[in-house]
Amino acid sequence: MSTIMRFLMVTVTLLLTEVLNGLPNPYFQSRRHQSLKTEPQYIEKYFSQILDHFNFNSMVNGTFNQRYLITDKYWKKGFGPIFFYTGNEGDIWEFALNSGFITELAAQQRALVIFAEHRYYGKSLPFGKDSFNIPQISWLTVEQALADYSVMITELKQQLAATDCPVIVFGGSYGGMLSVYMRLKYPNIVAGALAASAPILSTAGLGESRQFFRDVTTDFERVSPECRNAVRGAFHQLKELAERQDYSQIQAELALCKPPSSALDIHQLNGLLRNAFTLMAMLDYPYSTHFMGNMPANPVKVACETMLRGSDLLANLRDTAGIVYNATGLLTCFDMYNLYLECADPTGCGLGFDSMAWDYQACTEINLCYESNNVTDMFPPMPFTERDRELYCSKRWGVVPRPDWLKIQFWGDALSSASNIIFSNGDLDPWANGGVRTSFSSSLIAVNILGGAHHLDLRASNEADPVSVINARKTEADLIAQWVKMERIRVHLKVQPL
């Protein structure tokens, strides 16, 4: 997902390790993405947030410092709308610097922009480095995060003399899910939501467990069926070497820092490699990016060219994984346990504290029981059932997941009575078919973006953008302007005397 985000720490790891004679990686040139040039200067602030919104005895109404970023560069003070990003599973700066459409829209509609960091991520750690201990982590829930945002919006509106300013929430991936939930749960506070690449159905246990990795495979198959076959063939060769326990050959072919020595190591290696293809499919943007690591333009195409450039499939697989894990070109070998951590999210949790927070959420409310099977996809069979999740989460966090909780708490697919939500998805994004692809009504709009990767529409305008995303942003802007106007009318009527 996830959104999500979670791969940022890999880049840090790469920069801190193996600085000698790196593995070859010719795909990257170090340059800042042009969207960063147009971002306004955000001010970083902290909000004194209630730790437990739902139990008055718990923690004696304790608080923590929740980070947020704010810019009023475009705002018509006291009148313009408030565009509020519901931060997801990572450092809030990463999202602010990769969501330029929001500030472009703010300039058009004279809005105040706020990016709020999710509790337990980035610097918003309620208990500092102890936040990921048990029981301290137990205040990490979707419901607490939504309440955080609602309290923050309400109090900041008071402080900024903006009590009548309509609020539109934005989010991508898990953040998009939160934007949907904000509109469902706090319609008194939020006038509308743009939920980009939000898999609200699959994460609620609705859908098919094979969908995600099937759709990752489809992305590579679109470039070339031979590409899919080469990836499948490389994994088959790896399987044959593992069955012969030819671990030294595996180490040599894939440039591993240490040879594998067990079936568990091979499982870890398969997860590492599968995760590289997942990230390239998610981030298949038409220009180079520096979001969740570094990616070349059209990384799926680059990957397929790499997989098909010679007859040595394992060498090709190694170099294809290097597009993700060796973006800097500095690694001399791949440490499969430092570059990838298996967790309760088969699409990857990333590394560092953020990965621990996301792992806990995937063990409690967020249902991510996705699997590959080498039949409907090109990856090794790697099941992850509800029972597998339950066993892992009980051992790791001492919790039993609630597979149907999001469906109960946030409506599942029974959304017809909601309003003012845009569900945008790109057809290149493997998360898309876990979200809403068909409009429910005239105010519950599905925007499908041909040639769009993971929440491409939230990114700043780029000369390489497909026409489909330009049109999608225009649709989104028009709808949001309508919602803002409707909310102003509603507020005006509310304050008129009878």
Side-chain angles (χ1 to χ4, degrees):
M1 154 171 331
S2 96
T3 76
I4 147 180
M5 311 103 146
R6 303 187 296 279
F7 192 60
L8 176 62
M9 288 302 297
V10 172
T11 304
V12 177
T13 302
L14 297 180
L15 291 172
L16 295 177
T17 59
E18 304 295 350
V19 294
L20 302 172
N21 300 323
L23 292 167
N25 196 325
Y27 304 111
F28 299 94
Q29 295 180 357
S30 178
R31 66 181 182 87
R32 291 169 64 84
H33 180 249
Q34 68 185 60
S35 69
L36 300 187
K37 298 176 184 177
T38 61
E39 287 290 351
Q41 183 64 51
Y42 288 101
I43 299 172
E44 180 177 293
K45 294 188 175 185
Y46 286 84
F47 182 85
S48 182
Q49 186 61 262
I50 298 169
L51 178 60
D52 189 346
H53 296 281
F54 306 112
N55 187 331
F56 285 84
N57 291 323
S58 171
M59 306 304 295
V60 196
N61 288 333
T63 61
F64 71 97
N65 289 325
Q66 183 173 18
R67 183 166 59 163
Y68 67 97
L69 312 178
I70 186 169
T71 179
D72 62 0
K73 178 178 179 179
Y74 310 110
W75 190 35
K76 184 176 181 180
K77 290 182 170 55
F79 179 79
I82 297 172
F83 292 167
F84 187 94
Y85 186 94
T86 51
N88 34 324
E89 69 279 31
D91 188 297
I92 194 59
W93 277 106
E94 184 78 353
F95 303 109
L97 295 177
N98 286 278
S99 301
F101 170 63
I102 298 174
T103 46
E104 291 175 359
L105 190 61
Q108 294 174 24
Q109 302 192 10
R110 305 183 73 177
L112 176 72
V113 179
I114 300 171
F115 278 76
E117 190 164 72
H118 195 297
R119 59 168 56 202
Y120 288 82
Y121 292 97
K123 292 185 177 180
S124 300
L125 304 180
F127 302 97
K129 63 181 176 58
D130 295 326
S131 297
F132 308 98
N133 297 337
I134 301 170
Q136 286 90 335
I137 199 168
S138 62
W139 286 275
L140 171 55
T141 68
V142 171
E143 291 78 10
Q144 297 280 10
L146 297 177
D148 287 344
Y149 296 151
S150 299
V151 169
M152 181 185 287
I153 290 169
T154 301
E155 294 194 17
L156 289 182
K157 287 179 76 173
Q158 291 283 348
Q159 294 173 20
L160 297 168
T163 53
D164 291 338
C165 295
V167 177
I168 306 296
V169 288
F170 298 75
S173 197
Y174 169 55
M177 293 166 55
L178 295 176
S179 290
V180 173
Y181 301 158
M182 284 288 289
R183 176 59 184 166
L184 298 181
K185 197 167 185 67
Y186 298 101
N188 55 316
I189 294 173
V190 170
L194 170 53
S197 300
I200 63 166
L201 303 182
S202 62
T203 55
L206 298 166
E208 208 271 308
S209 63
R210 298 176 176 182
Q211 169 263 315
F212 184 87
F213 291 110
R214 182 192 67 219
D215 288 353
V216 172
T217 299
T218 298
D219 281 354
F220 290 85
E221 190 175 44
R222 278 194 186 107
V223 173
S224 166
E226 289 76 19
C227 177
R228 173 207 60 204
N229 295 340
V231 174
R232 183 176 275 139
F235 276 112
H236 183 69
Q237 288 186 14
L238 175 57
K239 176 175 179 284
E240 289 182 330
L241 289 174
E243 287 173 345
R244 297 201 303 266
Q245 298 187 5
D246 194 347
Y247 296 134
S248 60
Q249 182 68 17
I250 292 173
Q251 179 188 19
E253 290 278 8
L254 295 176
L256 304 180
C257 298
K258 296 178 181 179
S261 60
S262 66
L264 286 177
D265 287 346
I266 297 301
H267 179 81
Q268 173 72 13
L269 178 57
N270 282 332
L272 170 85
L273 296 169
R274 186 180 69 174
N275 191 58
F277 289 94
T278 294
L279 286 164
M280 287 185 283
M282 285 172 55
L283 307 177
D284 194 21
Y285 301 124
Y287 45 81
S288 63
T289 57
H290 305 275
F291 177 50
M292 298 195 289
N294 296 327
M295 287 284 176
N298 304 299
V300 170
K301 182 174 181 289
V302 172
C304 284
E305 290 170 350
T306 306
M307 284 303 307
L308 295 171
R309 70 184 179 191
S311 59
D312 190 341
L313 292 182
L314 286 177
N316 296 345
L317 182 62
R318 175 199 66 209
D319 293 342
T320 301
I323 296 170
V324 172
Y325 297 118
N326 196 25
T328 62
L330 299 178
L331 289 185
T332 59
C333 61
F334 297 121
D335 186 326
M336 59 186 178
Y337 283 99
N338 281 337
L339 291 172
Y340 174 76
L341 297 178
E342 188 174 30
C343 65
D345 178 358
T347 73
C349 284
L351 303 170
F353 283 161
D354 288 348
S355 74
M356 296 171 70
W358 185 246
D359 188 32
Y360 180 79
Q361 289 198 263
C363 271
T364 50
E365 298 178 292
I366 312 295
N367 189 339
L368 295 161
C369 286
Y370 307 151
E371 64 179 23
S372 58
N373 58 24
N374 201 234
V375 176
T376 58
D377 57 65
M378 62 189 181
F379 302 111
M382 298 179 71
F384 188 65
T385 65
E386 294 287 1
R387 181 59 177 162
D388 293 329
R389 180 189 183 208
E390 184 176 324
L391 290 172
Y392 169 83
C393 296
S394 177
K395 181 178 180 180
R396 174 64 182 88
W397 296 107
V399 297
V400 177
R402 298 179 186 173
D404 297 321
W405 180 239
L406 288 185
K407 185 165 54 178
I408 294 169
Q409 179 77 328
F410 300 110
W411 305 18
D413 58 358
L415 295 166
S416 59
S417 59
S419 64
N420 292 8
I421 303 173
I422 301 167
F423 304 94
S424 66
N425 285 287
D427 69 331
L428 300 183
D429 184 9
W431 292 103
N433 287 323
V436 175
R437 305 298 302 274
T438 304
S439 298
F440 282 88
S441 69
S442 60
S443 66
L444 292 172
I445 307 296
V447 175
N448 293 302
I449 303 169
L450 185 66
H454 202 46
H455 47 72
L456 173 62
D457 51 323
L458 289 187
R459 299 186 63 81
S461 299
N462 187 291
E463 60 185 11
D465 281 336
V467 173
S468 57
V469 78
I470 296 171
N471 292 337
R473 292 183 186 128
K474 176 64 165 59
T475 297
E476 293 163 358
D478 290 347
L479 286 168
I480 288 167
Q482 291 175 27
W483 296 343
V484 168
K485 183 177 180 180
M486 289 166 55
E487 181 65 7
R488 286 203 177 105
I489 292 171
R490 187 191 68 80
V491 170
H492 178 75
L493 292 175
K494 183 181 70 173
V495 300
Q496 296 305 304
L498 294 174

